[in-house]
Amino acid sequence: MRRFEFAVDREHARAVNEVLAAIRRLRILAFAAAIVLGLGTAGLIWLQHPYSFLLAVAFALGTITALFVAVWTPYRSRIEKLYAEGELVPAVVSGKHARGVTLLALVNIAKPGCDPTYALITRVVRALPGHRQWPGEQVPAVTVRADRAPSSVGDLRQSVTAMPIAWGTRDPGVISRARAAISDVEWKLLADNLDLAEKVRRADSKRLLLDPQQLPGELRG
């Protein structure tokens, strides 16, 4: 797995990183759910009905689960950890629209130790500092598991999304270094498949597997 090391600018990431924004929303929802379930637990216990005690146990378990998510998520999803553990991948701007721009990324979704399985994925982003927002702009990124669920069955990883390096640094030199660490073959493959971005976006799985026989020799493993 190809990783990329750099000093993450936390202040910049808090301002522009949409992954962090999603994590903050998840924590707020988890805390809100914990409060509602906690009040429900107290109310059911106050009723002192045999069935209400059974429901209270279920509500209490829900409260604990919600609190666990709220407390555990920041540790599991620290921005430095996400960048350090993610795989460096190429992404390009495939289109611009009212909500921002669409990125088309090339990712290997095979689990470690398995033959590479490449797929195209898309992501709509509102902000892309440090980059020009026109089709073909090269945007180095890292992969992040979109669902954060346990490992799936089979040789393929759970769904992944792309998190731009530019969401973690203001330094154009870092972005240039990340771009150079990705092979020209990968950048060309993305450039040649820009027209597939809309097809990928409409796919139920939100990804499009690439035929290994049609890949450049360097990507066949």
Side-chain angles (χ1 to χ4, degrees):
M1 179 183 289
R2 177 179 55 199
R3 290 192 170 91
F4 181 73
E5 295 183 1
F6 69 102
V8 176
D9 184 335
R10 291 184 59 84
E11 180 181 352
H12 174 69
R14 281 195 295 268
V16 304
N17 195 305
E18 294 172 25
V19 172
L20 286 185
I23 292 171
R24 286 194 294 268
R25 288 194 295 271
L26 176 61
R27 290 195 72 200
I28 291 172
L29 289 174
F31 275 123
I35 292 172
V36 171
L37 290 169
L39 292 174
T41 301
L44 288 167
I45 293 174
W46 180 79
L47 289 175
Q48 295 186 351
H49 189 281
Y51 290 110
S52 69
F53 286 115
L54 293 176
L55 287 174
V57 171
F59 272 58
L61 291 175
T63 303
I64 294 170
T65 301
L67 285 174
F68 176 77
V69 170
V71 174
W72 172 82
T73 297
Y75 168 75
R76 184 66 180 85
S77 302
R78 285 184 298 113
I79 190 62
E80 293 89 352
K81 185 179 181 70
L82 292 178
Y83 273 117
E85 294 184 348
E87 180 176 6
L88 180 65
V89 296
V92 295
V93 174
S94 63
K96 187 175 181 179
H97 43 77
R99 292 185 298 163
V101 299
T102 299
L103 296 180
L104 179 70
L106 175 68
V107 299
N108 175 17
I109 60 174
K111 290 182 180 179
C114 300
D115 292 334
T117 300
Y118 286 94
L120 297 175
I121 63 171
T122 57
R123 174 169 193 158
V124 175
V125 301
R126 293 187 299 274
L128 201 56
H131 291 283
R132 297 166 295 186
Q133 297 186 6
W134 58 50
E137 171 72 4
Q138 296 178 344
V139 183
V142 298
T143 56
V144 177
R145 280 227 314 270
D147 48 25
R148 314 303 295 163
S151 299
S152 58
V153 177
D155 294 337
L156 302 183
R157 292 186 293 172
Q158 294 279 358
S159 58
V160 297
T161 187
M163 183 170 66
I165 296 292
W167 284 355
T169 181
R170 296 184 177 93
D171 188 349
V174 172
I175 298 173
S176 296
R177 184 162 58 87
R179 184 183 292 117
I182 299 169
S183 70
D184 292 338
V185 170
E186 293 169 87
W187 289 122
K188 184 177 185 305
L189 181 61
L190 275 180
D192 291 344
N193 287 282
L194 273 178
D195 294 340
L196 293 177
E198 186 60 23
K199 181 178 180 181
V200 177
R201 190 185 67 82
R202 293 198 306 264
D204 292 338
S205 62
K206 302 304 180 185
R207 65 189 186 191
L208 179 65
L209 295 178
L210 298 178
D211 184 350
Q213 299 305 316
Q214 296 180 354
L215 291 173
E218 295 90 333
L219 299 180
R220 294 182 188 176

